[in-house]
Amino acid sequence: MRLDASSGTRLLYDLRVRAIIYQVVAVASVVFLGLYLFSNVSQKLAEQNIATGFNFLSREAGFVISQTLIDYKPSDTYGRAILVGITNTIWVSAWGVVFATVIGFFVGIARLSSNPLLALLAFLYVEALRNVPLLLYLFLWYALIVTSLPSVRDAWELLPHVFLSNSGLTVPSLNWSSAHTAALAALLLGGILAVFVRRRIVAERVRTGRERVTWPLVAVALLAPSLLAILLFQPDLAFSLPEKGRFRLTGGAQLKPEFVALLVGLALSASAGIAEIVRSGILSVRKGQWEAARALGLSDGRTMRLVVIPQALRVIIPPLTSSYLSLFKNSSLAIAIGYPDLVMVSNTTMNQTGQAIEGIAIFMLVYLGLSITISVFMNWYNSRVALKER
Amino acid sequence: MTTATDLAEAQLRLPSERRPTEGGGFGRVLKPLFGTPINAVISLACLTLLWLSAKGAYGWLVTRAVTEGGPQACKAGQGACWPFYEAKLRFMLFGVYPYEEHWRVILAMGLFMAAIAVTMIPRFWDRRLLALWGVTVLATGLLISGGLFGLRYVPTTQWSGLPLSFLLTAVGLAFGFPLGVVLALARSSKLPAIRVLAIVFIEVIRGVPLISILFMASVMLPLFMPDGLTIDKLLRAQIAIIIFAAAYIAEAVRGGLQAIPRGQHEAANAMGLHYWQAMRLVVLPQALKIAIPPLVNISIGFFQDTTLVTIIGLLDFLSTIRTAMQDPNWVGIAVMEGYLFAAFVYLVFSYGMGAYSRFLERRLRLGHD
């Protein structure tokens, strides 16, 4: 091959060569920036005598966490404290998702009601929640609980044995033991079994073309393992009911004001977003689908279940995923009202050990990991409900 | 053929609902409210709820309101505490900005609002907007910070209140937008290394809460800087918001880019435009137009998210409100007053932007049909 004098410049104009150059430059600048920052950090840390590494995780934490799901005492390690923070974050987010979904579906359907008053109320609800910052609502709910509610002595009895006062919500509870965990696990197993059995029956129906009653078998599959577990392990099924004493409430489980305010704030603000998602999902199913289903002789319930909901879900699931994700990330605002979630526990850890980088790295990694887990799960579910094109 | 009204009707009315029978105007109003027993019950419940809240709000705001006196009168009273607003309104709005210089922030906010108003009118969407914003940013920056033309210098530690919330939002979006567009282009690039870098950046930022990035900026960033270089606390929070905004804007812009058919790219190439020309002249103008409604929604979200800087100790609007409420003279007295005022201000601005976004969506949809 003959090379002439201008081959160097000609090479520069080759698109493939350019592509490689661009990429090398981009990667190199990111690497250099990283190295530069890293050298600055190590110099600063050495100057300020701050230890590095994750050894602090096995040292004694020494601070109190006001609300814990798993056993924790100040003499436990920082690692344990952060684990408490993670479980608290998941706990409040999980309940938030449940309440937000239920409220959101009702409000979303109410927005479409033929009754103009109901539609108006739902509209006001959605706009009031969507246009005011969540943090403001958290402060407001917290202030309302702490300042406006009566003291424990004259707590309101919302439902029998459910008390609301300025020290939070008191609800009936079980004395949780390993037997309960076993029964719960058996219930989960039953759920999986039920899905499996239903699938087999549907496959059988498709194969033979004979319609059979499905639900008794499914119900047996769902409930049998947990019933068996209850008989086997005999968990204590008596609820501990809160009773109003002279000065305080005895029994039951105490939900602290921080938890209640955070849960209410998260659930309500997410429910407004979910309501809009549900509304647009149902609107996306065209009138012709209803008419076609009716022409086939399907009842209203079956039209909804077999025709409308599967199509609406396809529109609903992707934005629903992101609203679950943002609820989960918004739970980090807990630090503003003092609920000991992951961010707050890490923050305390950082203040005590001075190891800011490790502390922030831990909670960012946990959030990132859980976000990715949630979105992988929801994407899997989405691909199941998505349009199957052949 | 379906016309827009047919479509709207098909969307708004589920078939299980019956159309109200044509009767007099009276019947048309009452039928959907009291047509069936269930509807009548729902309507009555809604009316009761509306009546009770209207009555409560009126009583609190007007009949039971405390109009004069000090904290003691408010503590004794049962209604809204107007003296609190009288005493604290300026502080709630402008925070610790020097009292006698408030006219400067008011003027700056006026300029800013005027620029936004001009930007919202589609007829003015062209290159001159950039010049307008350049002038506005310079003028508002000069007015707020001072130090030139005989204006007293005001350090950033005294920038606070509603102007700070607007500033954080506006600067965050103004710098986040070009960064976001670049990230979106990088993410849809054919070059694998660049695409991977963009994906990692965007997904990491979107996968963690804003508060963690603010923490990073306020606690970690000083450690990353070389010796002797310190960055202002406000600027650090601003950088965090810009980065966060860029990741979300990038996803909105990517949505727009994906909606542009391949033929547009190919046609631009066939005309001999290289990548940047094709993007600047053919693809981006169309993609950005599609991305406008989600971008406006992102802007509303960011206006609300700037409240998070409260947690790292900046005095934004929510924070000055809380500071006003915690004044020793007023503490525990004007809780509802403070939060409701803040909620009202956020509601007005966010709802206004939302209404504008819906207007744009309608306008752009009509433009495409």
Side-chain angles (χ1 to χ4, degrees):
Chain A
M1 201 199 237
R2 201 171 61 87
L3 285 169
D4 55 44
S6 61
S7 72
T9 44
R10 198 170 292 161
L11 209 59
L12 259 184
Y13 283 106
D14 187 328
L15 281 180
R16 273 167 303 177
V17 177
R18 278 209 170 183
I20 292 173
I21 293 175
Y22 286 145
Q23 298 186 57
V24 169
V25 168
V27 172
S29 37
V30 169
V31 169
F32 277 123
L33 186 69
L35 284 177
Y36 173 69
L37 295 178
F38 182 74
S39 76
N40 281 338
V41 171
S42 16
Q43 194 191 342
K44 279 263 172 72
L45 291 181
E47 275 169 19
Q48 297 177 6
N49 263 331
I50 298 175
T52 51
F54 289 94
N55 291 332
F56 71 93
L57 283 180
S58 53
R59 292 212 309 269
E60 187 184 311
F63 58 87
V64 179
I65 299 179
S66 58
Q67 302 165 55
T68 59
L69 275 183
I70 52 177
D71 286 334
Y72 170 83
K73 48 193 182 306
S75 58
D76 283 331
T77 60
Y78 281 117
R80 181 89 184 167
I82 285 173
L83 193 65
V84 170
I86 295 175
T87 50
N88 277 344
T89 290
I90 295 176
W91 180 243
V92 76
S93 316
W95 281 110
V97 161
V98 171
F99 285 117
T101 311
V102 173
I103 301 173
F105 267 79
F106 278 113
V107 176
I109 292 167
R111 282 273 270 140
L112 292 168
S113 166
S114 58
N115 186 323
L117 272 176
L118 187 61
L120 172 75
L121 272 185
F123 170 78
L124 291 180
Y125 173 87
V126 169
E127 293 299 329
L129 281 165
R130 266 156 54 106
N131 289 316
V132 176
L134 171 59
L135 187 60
L136 202 164
Y137 272 125
L138 290 184
F139 284 139
L140 181 63
W141 301 141
Y142 187 60
L144 279 181
I145 290 177
V146 175
T147 64
S148 311
L149 289 180
S151 65
V152 178
R153 286 179 65 176
D154 353 73
W156 292 341
E157 192 161 4
L158 295 180
L159 300 166
H161 300 295
V162 175
F163 292 94
L164 189 65
S165 70
N166 64 1
S167 54
L169 192 67
T170 312
V171 293
S173 67
L174 286 169
N175 293 318
W176 200 262
S177 63
S178 58
H180 290 92
T181 317
L184 192 69
L187 190 65
L188 275 178
L189 183 77
I192 297 169
L193 202 65
V195 170
F196 185 70
V197 166
R198 206 188 106 80
R199 259 201 222 158
R200 281 295 294 273
I201 294 174
V202 169
E204 186 74 12
R205 192 178 67 206
V206 170
R207 199 167 58 80
T208 59
R210 274 182 37 221
E211 181 92 24
R212 272 208 241 129
V213 188
T214 356
W215 68 266
L217 269 175
V218 176
V220 167
L222 181 67
L223 296 177
S226 46
L227 286 177
L228 199 67
I230 288 175
L231 286 178
L232 215 61
F233 299 106
Q234 306 208 324
D236 179 13
L237 287 179
F239 276 94
S240 153
L241 296 172
E243 297 290 348
K244 203 165 183 174
R246 246 178 107 83
F247 297 107
R248 59 195 194 91
L249 298 166
T250 47
Q254 175 83 26
L255 305 176
K256 293 266 167 63
E258 295 84 16
F259 176 80
V260 177
L262 183 65
L263 181 60
V264 170
L266 286 175
L268 291 190
S269 82
S271 75
I274 291 174
E276 287 300 277
I277 293 167
V278 169
R279 173 172 159 263
S280 65
I282 294 177
L283 282 183
S284 74
V285 181
R286 290 293 155 87
K287 199 177 170 184
Q289 297 288 328
W290 288 84
E291 290 168 351
R294 188 150 304 162
L296 284 172
L298 295 181
S299 66
D300 267 2
R302 286 196 133 190
T303 308
M304 203 64 178
R305 196 161 59 83
L306 298 173
V307 178
V308 178
I309 287 180
Q311 297 187 73
L313 271 186
R314 215 177 276 154
V315 178
I316 289 174
I317 296 291
L320 194 63
T321 309
S322 38
S323 81
Y324 285 167
L325 281 173
S326 70
L327 185 151
F328 167 63
K329 284 182 282 176
N330 281 338
S331 71
S332 62
L333 295 186
I335 191 172
I337 53 171
Y339 174 73
D341 77 326
L342 174 59
V343 175
M344 188 162 156
V345 172
S346 311
N347 196 35
T348 314
T349 306
M350 289 188 297
N351 289 339
Q352 289 193 0
T353 60
Q355 292 186 265
I357 296 177
E358 288 84 349
I360 291 177
I362 288 176
F363 77 69
M364 282 182 83
L365 279 179
V366 172
Y367 272 105
L368 203 58
L370 287 172
S371 292
I372 291 172
T373 314
I374 295 174
S375 62
V376 164
F377 173 74
M378 293 301 279
N379 284 341
W380 167 78
Y381 184 65
N382 186 40
S383 67
R384 277 184 55 93
V385 296
L387 196 61
K388 303 255 184 340
E389 284 178 296
R390 283 164 217 281
Chain B
M1 208 190 109
T2 41
T3 62
T5 44
D6 278 345
L7 214 61
E9 218 169 64
Q11 285 185 337
L12 285 175
R13 220 179 292 281
L14 302 181
S16 56
E17 302 161 8
R18 304 259 143 56
R19 294 189 79 153
T21 44
E22 299 296 326
F26 202 61
R28 211 176 302 158
V29 174
L30 286 187
K31 193 87 189 196
L33 292 179
F34 299 101
T36 63
I38 296 176
N39 249 344
V41 171
I42 294 177
S43 297
L44 282 180
C46 291
L47 279 177
T48 320
L49 195 63
L50 281 172
W51 167 246
L52 284 180
S53 16
K55 201 176 117 191
Y58 185 77
W60 190 75
L61 274 171
V62 182
T63 47
R64 277 180 287 129
V66 180
T67 46
E68 37 195 44
Q72 297 319 318
C74 285
K75 197 166 190 174
Q78 296 288 313
C81 173
W82 295 102
F84 174 70
Y85 293 123
E86 224 165 277
K88 288 286 175 189
L89 187 65
R90 290 273 288 263
F91 182 82
M92 290 198 282
L93 286 175
F94 305 118
V96 295
Y97 199 86
Y99 193 82
E100 58 282 3
E101 309 283 344
H102 278 183
W103 63 271
R104 279 161 53 183
V105 271
I106 296 174
L107 191 60
M109 271 173 43
L111 273 178
F112 178 72
M113 293 293 164
I116 288 201
V118 172
T119 313
M120 282 168 82
I121 303 170
R123 194 150 53 86
F124 294 117
W125 288 353
D126 58 33
R127 241 159 257 268
R128 280 173 299 173
L129 268 188
L130 286 179
L132 172 77
W133 274 101
V135 172
T136 312
V137 167
L138 277 182
T140 48
L142 180 68
L143 274 170
I144 294 178
S145 89
L148 278 177
F149 306 121
L151 291 176
R152 197 175 113 203
Y153 171 67
V154 181
T156 56
T157 45
Q158 293 182 3
W159 298 10
S160 44
L162 197 54
L164 184 75
S165 293
F166 281 133
L167 182 90
L168 287 170
T169 316
V171 177
L173 293 170
F175 285 85
F177 180 70
L179 191 57
V181 171
V182 170
L183 280 171
L185 288 178
R187 189 168 183 173
S188 40
S189 160
K190 282 198 217 74
L191 312 178
I194 289 177
R195 195 171 59 231
V196 168
L197 284 179
I199 290 177
V200 169
F201 182 85
I202 293 172
E203 291 307 325
V204 167
I205 302 289
R206 279 162 43 94
V208 298
L210 173 57
I211 186 74
S212 67
I213 300 181
L214 284 171
F215 267 132
M216 234 174 110
S218 73
V219 184
M220 266 167 81
L221 202 62
L223 293 174
F224 283 115
M225 289 299 119
D227 270 337
L229 180 67
T230 49
I231 303 181
D232 185 86
K233 190 174 180 186
L234 177 61
L235 188 58
R236 276 179 291 170
Q238 185 69 76
I239 292 173
I241 289 180
I242 290 173
I243 290 178
F244 201 66
Y248 281 82
I249 289 173
E251 285 303 278
V253 174
R254 187 168 71 109
L257 284 175
Q258 282 177 346
I260 306 300
R262 264 241 310 265
Q264 296 286 327
H265 293 263
E266 289 165 358
N269 284 339
M271 291 185 68
L273 301 180
H274 64 66
Y275 178 80
W276 290 108
Q277 283 173 328
M279 283 300 159
R280 197 165 56 84
L281 298 173
V282 179
V283 178
L284 275 180
Q286 302 180 68
L288 291 183
K289 195 175 162 194
I290 297 173
I292 285 176
L295 285 174
V296 176
N297 286 335
I298 289 178
S299 311
I300 301 173
F302 270 94
F303 178 52
Q304 298 183 9
D305 280 347
T306 52
T307 50
L308 265 63
V309 298
T310 305
I311 296 174
I312 58 166
L314 288 178
L315 278 171
D316 77 319
F317 182 49
L318 182 56
S319 186
T320 50
I321 297 252
R322 279 169 58 80
T323 315
M325 285 161 31
Q326 280 151 7
D327 181 317
N329 291 326
W330 293 97
V331 66
I333 294 172
V335 176
M336 286 301 280
E337 281 82 352
Y339 285 133
L340 284 184
F341 177 62
F344 176 73
V345 171
Y346 280 107
L347 189 77
V348 167
F349 284 105
S350 303
Y351 186 78
M353 291 285 277
Y356 175 65
S357 151
R358 285 189 287 277
F359 153 76
L360 271 186
E361 244 166 288
R362 268 200 309 279
R363 189 177 180 281
L364 292 176
R365 199 161 48 211
L366 289 181
H368 272 292
D369 286 340

